[in-house]
Structures are given as C-alpha cells and as structure tokens.
Amino acid sequence: MTEFQQPGVQFLSVEESADVDQALLSSSEKFLTRLTISSLRLLQVIAQDYQVPIAELSHQQIIQWFEKDSKIRREQGIEAAVLKW
C-alpha cells in the first residue's frame, strides 16, 4: 500500500490549495494548476506501482492503472481503491 492509499491523504494539500488561491492567476488557470499538482502526485503513485520513473510511464500503463484501480473499487469497495470518487 502506498502512502497515498492511507485514509485521509489527499493529492492536493490545504497549504498547496491556499498557495494556488494566492497566485495571480485566473480561475481557469488556478483550476489547471490544482489539477496539475494533483496529477503529479497520482503519477508518482502509478510510477511507484510499476517501479519505473515517471518519465518512463507510457500512456498504456496509465490507462491500465486506472482500469486496475476501477476494478478494485468495483470489487472491493471505494476504500480499497486509491482514487476515492
């Protein structure tokens, strides 16, 4: 289990979100910034699962990872999955 699978861990911290809020960006730029930071965290989890550097992840591996996490959520429940939505 990775650190991101622990209960209560988020892909974007309160502090990071506040920093984005304070940035001189438009609303759409702030959304994209939050999405990018969260995506980096998720890519770190995926790369760790595949035991490769993030730069070596392929789009196929990312798709497969999402399929695997989705299957876990369906079969074992939302708490067993990495993504809680």
Side-chain angles (χ1 to χ4, degrees):
M1 182 177 281
T2 67
E3 68 178 282
F4 294 103
Q5 291 173 301
Q6 302 299 318
V9 175
Q10 298 177 351
F11 289 101
L12 184 70
S13 73
V14 173
E15 179 182 322
E16 290 164 335
S17 185
D19 288 346
V20 173
D21 281 339
Q22 294 175 7
L24 301 175
L25 300 169
S26 68
S27 294
S28 59
E29 291 167 334
K30 287 179 183 184
F31 170 77
L32 184 57
T33 302
R34 284 186 179 90
L35 180 62
T36 302
I37 294 167
S38 298
S39 296
L40 172 62
R41 298 277 164 60
L42 183 53
L43 287 172
Q44 290 170 336
V45 170
I46 296 169
Q48 183 179 5
D49 282 354
Y50 283 108
Q51 299 180 342
V52 299
I54 291 173
E56 292 182 17
L57 282 173
S58 69
H59 71 278
Q60 292 97 347
Q61 287 173 309
I62 294 169
I63 292 167
Q64 289 170 351
W65 186 92
F66 271 89
E67 290 173 335
K68 180 182 86 173
D69 195 59
S70 178
K71 183 178 180 184
I72 290 169
R73 186 175 26 270
R74 284 191 312 272
E75 293 177 355
Q76 301 174 28
I78 194 165
E79 290 306 315
V82 173
L83 299 175
K84 316 272 189 241
W85 57 32

